[in-house]
Amino acid sequence: MKTRHIFTILFFLLASLMTFTGCNADASAGLFRQISESTTPVGIQYRQLLGKPASKLFFTTTEGIFFTDGTAATQIKVNSAESRNMAAYVDNGNNRVLFLINDPDPNSNSAKVRSVPIVPSYTESSDLTPTYAGLTSVIIQNLYANGLFRIQGNDTINGKTFVLATYDDTDIAAPAFSKVIDFSEVADSLTGYSIDSVLQMTGKEDEVLSAANPIIASFAKEDGSYKHFFTDGTFKHSFALNTRLANFTILNGNAYLLTTDGKLYNAGAVPTADGTTTISSSNLMISSNKVYDANAFMYGVPYATGSTNHIITKSKSSSDPLYVLSFADSATTASGESIRYGYGEYLDSAEIVSTLYLGSNSGIDTLLIATNENGLFKIGIKVDTANQNSSNNGRSSQSEEYQDFTLYSTL
C-alpha cells in the first residue's frame, strides 16, 4: 500500500513537470536544451576589455589587470582589499595602465587614480593627484576604456558641472585633467539632474571620442525626467527623449536609440556641429518587450549586400538569447528574432559585460565577448544573415578557446 502511494506521488510530480516545461518552452528551444547547452562557468569574472595594442589584449577581472597574446595571460596588477581597481584605461603611448580605486577615506566619494606599467616589474604607483583648475571640490567618478575620466565639481558661474577629461602628466610635479567636453546646470539647463550614464557604442568602447565614435551622456531627475546629449567631443546636441536609454548605434549615417524598456527608435541622420541635423525621437520602430540595462550590448551590423540592417542586443536577463532587430534603410518598422545558434550558440545563459570589435573580413564581423562568469568568446557575425537563427549566421568559439585574435573569414 505504501509503495503504491509513493508511485502515485511520483506519477503526479512527473506529470506536473511535463506540463510546466511544455508551457514554458519557447519556439526556439526548451528548458532542458538551454540547460544542456549553456556554458559552464569558468571561474573568471571579467569586468572590462581595455583594447588590443601591440597585438596584446588587455582586460580586467575581479582579480586585477591582465594582458594576453591569446595563449598565456600575464597579471600586471593584483586586486587587494586596499587596492581594487574599479575601471581602467590602457595608456599605450606611455606604456602604462591608468586605473581607479576607491578612496579609503569613508567620508570621500571620489576615486583615486593610480597606474601600473605594462612592462616588468609591474609596480603599482602611489596615488596620482590630478587637479582641474576650472572646478572646486573635484570628484572623480569613472574612467572609460577610451581614456576619458568623468569628474564632477562646482563651477563658479555654471554651478554643478560634469566634465569628460583626459589625464595629462607632462608636468610630473603637477598632473592635471584636460577638458574634452562638459555639461553644467546653468549652460545646459541641468538643475536638479544627476549623471545617469555615458553610453558608448558596443565594441568601440576603447576608441577615442571622435566623429566616428561619439557618445551619449544621459542625465536624470528624481521625478523620472531624462535629458540626453549626443557629442563627438567638439560639440554637444541635446535631445529630449524622456526615457532611460540602454544604448545606441550608428548604421549608414543614421543613429538608432534603444531604451531600457525595449523600444527602438530611428533617430535620423547623425547630428552635426552646426545644428542643421538633430536627433529625432519621433520614429518608434519596434517595442520588443525586452528589458535592458544602461550600456547594454547593442551591436549594429550594416548590410554588405542587399538592404537589411541588423542590431544585435542582449537583454538584462542572462538567460535570454541574443535578440536581433532587423530593418531596411528606409523602413519605419523593424522585426525581431531570437538567436540561439551560430554566433549566439554559447551566449544563452551569459551576462555580457564588455565587447571589443576586432574587424571585418569577407562579410564577417569578428568580436570578443567578455562575460561575467562564462569566460571570453570570439564570435564571427555574417553580416547579411545575422538575423537567421541557424549556423548560417556566423560562428563562436567555446569559452576561453578563442586561441588568437585573427579575424574570421569563413564559417
Side-chain angles (χ1 to χ4, degrees):
M1 186 70 178
K2 184 177 181 181
T3 302
R4 181 181 298 174
H5 183 63
I6 292 173
F7 278 122
T8 301
I9 293 173
L10 287 173
F11 173 79
F12 281 110
L13 284 173
L14 287 170
S16 298
L17 180 59
M18 290 175 68
T19 301
F20 175 79
T21 56
C23 292
N24 287 276
D26 64 22
S28 300
L31 176 64
F32 294 114
R33 177 189 174 278
Q34 292 182 53
I35 292 174
S36 66
E37 294 194 4
S38 62
T39 306
T40 303
V42 297
I44 304 172
Q45 290 184 286
Y46 285 92
R47 288 295 175 260
Q48 283 180 291
L49 298 181
L50 303 178
K52 199 176 66 64
S55 299
K56 293 179 180 178
L57 174 68
F58 285 79
F59 60 93
T60 69
T61 75
T62 53
E63 301 300 317
I65 303 174
F66 299 77
F67 69 77
T68 179
D69 60 3
T71 57
T74 299
Q75 187 169 21
I76 64 175
K77 185 255 186 292
V78 178
N79 277 345
S80 65
E82 297 76 25
S83 175
R84 182 171 296 277
N85 63 278
M86 301 155 50
Y89 154 66
V90 181
D91 182 5
N92 194 50
N94 291 300
N95 293 314
R96 64 186 176 185
V97 176
L98 294 172
F99 61 92
L100 300 183
I101 65 168
N102 280 320
D103 191 326
D105 181 356
N107 297 314
S108 173
N109 56 356
S110 179
K112 292 288 188 181
V113 183
R114 289 189 179 179
S115 70
V116 60
I118 61 178
V119 294
S121 58
Y122 312 125
T123 302
E124 183 175 334
S125 74
S126 56
D127 293 342
L128 307 176
T129 56
T131 60
Y132 189 81
L135 301 176
T136 59
S137 63
V138 171
I139 298 171
I140 302 171
Q141 296 181 322
N142 208 347
L143 169 61
Y144 303 96
N146 62 3
L148 290 180
F149 288 79
R150 192 182 84 213
I151 60 178
Q152 176 191 322
N154 289 305
D155 179 88
T156 55
I157 297 175
N158 286 309
K160 184 168 68 174
T161 300
F162 299 89
V163 182
L164 294 176
T166 53
Y167 176 83
D168 181 12
D169 59 356
T170 304
D171 181 355
I172 298 177
F177 288 120
S178 178
K179 184 182 82 170
V180 174
I181 200 81
D182 64 5
F183 313 89
S184 68
E185 285 183 318
V186 175
D188 298 303
S189 302
L190 287 175
T191 300
Y193 285 85
S194 295
I195 189 77
D196 180 67
S197 59
V198 172
L199 303 177
Q200 299 173 275
M201 290 191 293
T202 294
K204 304 295 184 70
E205 292 92 337
D206 66 318
E207 297 286 345
V208 174
L209 182 62
S210 67
N213 296 289
I215 63 170
I216 291 178
S218 291
F219 297 82
K221 291 175 72 172
E222 289 186 359
D223 66 2
S225 299
Y226 288 89
K227 196 167 187 177
H228 313 284
F229 294 86
F230 179 98
T231 180
D232 66 0
T234 61
F235 75 96
K236 54 191 172 184
H237 167 62
S238 173
F239 62 98
L241 181 60
N242 196 26
T243 189
R244 194 176 190 215
L245 293 180
N247 217 331
F248 78 107
T249 192
I250 296 172
L251 291 171
N252 299 321
N254 284 345
Y256 295 88
L257 310 175
L258 180 68
T259 65
T260 55
D261 60 353
K263 294 182 176 66
L264 179 70
Y265 290 87
N266 180 346
V270 173
T272 54
D274 60 10
T276 55
T277 301
T278 59
I279 288 277
S280 167
S281 58
S282 60
N283 186 15
L284 173 62
M285 302 186 73
I286 190 173
S287 294
S288 67
N289 296 319
K290 301 284 185 180
V291 178
Y292 297 90
D293 281 324
N295 270 303
F297 180 89
M298 181 190 182
Y299 182 69
V301 186
Y303 55 81
T305 60
S307 60
T308 303
N309 299 296
H310 308 291
I311 295 176
I312 306 169
T313 71
K314 175 72 172 179
S315 78
K316 183 177 182 178
S317 173
S318 60
S319 61
D320 261 2
L322 297 178
Y323 189 69
V324 180
L325 303 165
S326 302
F327 50 90
D329 272 343
S330 58
T332 57
T333 60
S335 60
E337 178 69 38
S338 294
I339 302 296
R340 298 185 187 275
Y341 298 97
Y343 63 81
E345 181 176 4
Y346 302 111
L347 296 173
D348 267 13
S349 301
E351 178 188 351
I352 297 174
V353 295
S354 190
T355 308
L356 183 67
Y357 171 73
L358 296 180
S360 184
N361 187 18
S362 301
I364 299 175
D365 286 3
T366 303
L367 291 81
L368 292 177
I369 306 289
T371 67
N372 182 38
E373 290 185 324
N374 298 83
L376 182 66
F377 302 83
K378 184 171 79 169
I379 70 170
I381 303 167
K382 194 172 181 181
V383 298
D384 284 334
T385 55
N387 63 337
Q388 292 185 14
N389 187 28
S390 72
S391 59
N392 190 45
N393 68 30
R395 61 184 298 185
S396 172
S397 72
Q398 294 190 41
S399 175
E400 297 297 318
E401 294 186 11
Y402 46 88
Q403 297 179 336
D404 57 43
F405 308 121
T406 57
L407 305 185
Y408 288 125
S409 58
T410 59
L411 294 178

